[in-house]
Every structure is written in C-alpha cells, then in structure tokens.
Amino acid sequence: MPEGVAVRDGAAVHRHRLVRRVLAVRGEVRFVADVAPRFDYARAAHQVELVDGGAVFGSRELTLGLSSPRPLEFRRRRDVRAALTLRAGESASFVLERLEPGQDPARASEAEIQDELEATIAFWRRWLAGSRYAGRWREMVDRSALTLKLLTYQPTGAIVAAPITSLPEQLGGGRIWDYRYAWLRDAAFTHYALLTLGFTDEAASFMGWLARSASATPTAASRGRSR
C-alpha cells in the first residue's frame, strides 16, 4: 500500500501511512525487519523511543510512529529491529505513520490490514477495468498503466516526472534532474499514454491542477508591472 493513499468506501483518500505485510506461504520462515528512518534526507537528527506495541521516531519537524506485531529492540541507537517467525498461512504487518507530538502509534490488527488490502485490490481492479486496450501484451500494458497512475498525486492531480530522484542524465555528468517535481513535458507524455488507454479523469485532474497553479503564480510581466 503506497504512502499517502488509502481506500475507504471504494475511494482513494490521502493518508500519511505506510504498510508492510509479510506472509508465510509454506513451511516456516524467519523474518528480520529493520526500520531506519532518516529525516530531511538524513540531514536532521532524530530520537527514538520504544513504546507499547511499537516505537516513536521524532525530529524537530516530524514525528513518526511504528506499530509492530513483535517486540522491538534498538539498533545503532536510532534504528529498531524486530525478528519474527511465521508458519504457513500466518501474516504480520508493520505500520509506519505520521503522528502528532505526544501521540502514540495505533496498533492495527491483522483483520483490519487484510480488509484494507482487499479494498485496495478491489479499487485498482475497478480502475483498470476502465482501460480500452484490447491488443497484445495486455498484462504488460495494464502493469504500465498502473505504474503511471501511481505517479499521480491524488489530492491535486499533479504527476511527478519519474519515481526516482536526482539521477544524472549520464554517470559522472553534470545534468542532475530532480524528478520529485511535475515536469510538463514528462507529465504530458504520461497523460497522453493514459488518454490513449481511455483514462480521461487523470487528464482532467492534471489540467485542473495546471490551471490552478498557473493562476496562482504571477507572471514575469505582471511582476514587472507591479514594480
């Protein structure tokens, strides 16, 4: 379940929560989970406190809570680790979410996580059913469409240029692009692909975001006149 998206009553909603679920398919499997957050791209220091059912990571600007199905232990003073063994059919979920100062992480039951997982799967299947593509390699095209959709920021309709950040055009080169932003050329290509498949809502949301952003940003001419 990607950060920032949850499904409630069949609709995607904004939520600052990251869920990781492990499942033993057969036999007996030992898992080790390391949680090592780094705030402000590792430029800000943070403190960690073990609490009942999890841990709290706090920096000056942000507080994160970790809900763990197993006891946690410190690792390198500012990280935590959990070890667990699951048998066939058993699962365990870790939840990392944004907290208000003084708030403890809420423990999520496996039943709740399973319900959210099923709702998320149903949401994406309904969305993908809107595709008009009927040619070859349908599974690959569907997977590509899902990837493009996941690059959109649902609350506004903006779309990031790529799921990576700060990679150079060439190794050792000087052109290092920041792909966290919505680049108009890249976003246009993305929405052209979605429109070709029949996904018009995403294009409408993007154009709405673009219009709002343009109207809220003063142009060079208007800035010159204001002087």
Side-chain angles (χ1 to χ4, degrees):
M1 302 178 190
E3 187 276 332
V5 177
V7 176
R8 291 178 183 169
D9 299 325
V13 296
H14 189 60
R15 187 172 185 181
H16 292 286
R17 190 165 81 146
L18 180 67
V19 178
R20 288 293 179 263
R21 182 171 180 262
V22 293
L23 170 69
V25 177
R26 61 177 180 269
E28 185 175 277
V29 184
R30 183 176 184 271
F31 294 92
V32 176
D34 289 328
V35 182
R38 295 295 180 266
F39 294 81
D40 193 22
Y41 298 92
R43 293 178 296 187
H46 72 271
Q47 304 293 326
V48 57
E49 177 187 2
L50 298 184
V51 298
D52 185 27
V56 175
F57 303 90
S59 71
R60 179 178 298 179
E61 302 293 337
L62 180 64
T63 301
L64 298 177
L66 172 68
S67 172
S68 171
R70 296 292 188 274
L72 297 166
E73 61 182 22
F74 287 107
R75 185 169 181 266
R76 299 198 193 109
R77 294 185 298 175
R78 56 179 180 170
D79 307 331
V80 297
R81 167 176 286 182
L84 61 157
T85 301
L86 300 178
R87 296 180 176 83
E90 294 180 337
S91 64
S93 300
F94 297 84
V95 180
L96 186 68
E97 60 184 335
R98 184 171 184 170
L99 301 179
E100 296 298 326
Q103 180 184 1
D104 287 336
R107 182 70 177 270
S109 67
E110 284 302 302
E112 177 187 350
I113 296 299
Q114 181 64 31
D115 288 343
E116 291 192 2
L117 176 61
E118 292 175 358
T120 300
I121 293 172
F123 170 84
W124 287 109
R125 285 177 174 170
R126 285 195 302 271
W127 181 82
L128 200 55
S131 173
R132 296 189 308 218
Y133 184 78
R136 299 177 64 188
W137 320 116
R138 175 64 184 267
E139 182 178 353
M140 296 181 182
V141 173
D142 286 351
R143 179 57 58 184
S144 297
L146 286 170
T147 302
L148 295 178
K149 171 65 173 176
L150 286 169
L151 296 180
T152 61
Y153 184 59
Q154 189 269 340
T156 65
I159 181 165
V160 297
I164 52 178
T165 178
S166 304
L167 293 183
E169 185 178 85
Q170 295 180 346
L171 291 179
R175 294 181 176 179
I176 300 178
W177 311 110
D178 193 336
Y179 289 102
R180 292 169 296 171
Y181 294 93
W183 287 36
L184 296 185
R185 183 198 64 174
D186 300 65
F189 289 151
T190 297
H191 284 295
Y192 177 77
L194 291 174
L195 279 171
T196 302
L197 296 175
F199 299 111
T200 58
D201 289 345
E202 286 68 29
S205 297
F206 175 74
M207 291 305 298
W209 168 79
L210 193 61
R212 293 191 302 273
S213 300
S215 62
T217 303
T219 63
S222 64
R223 287 196 299 267
R225 287 194 299 270
S226 66
R227 294 192 186 99

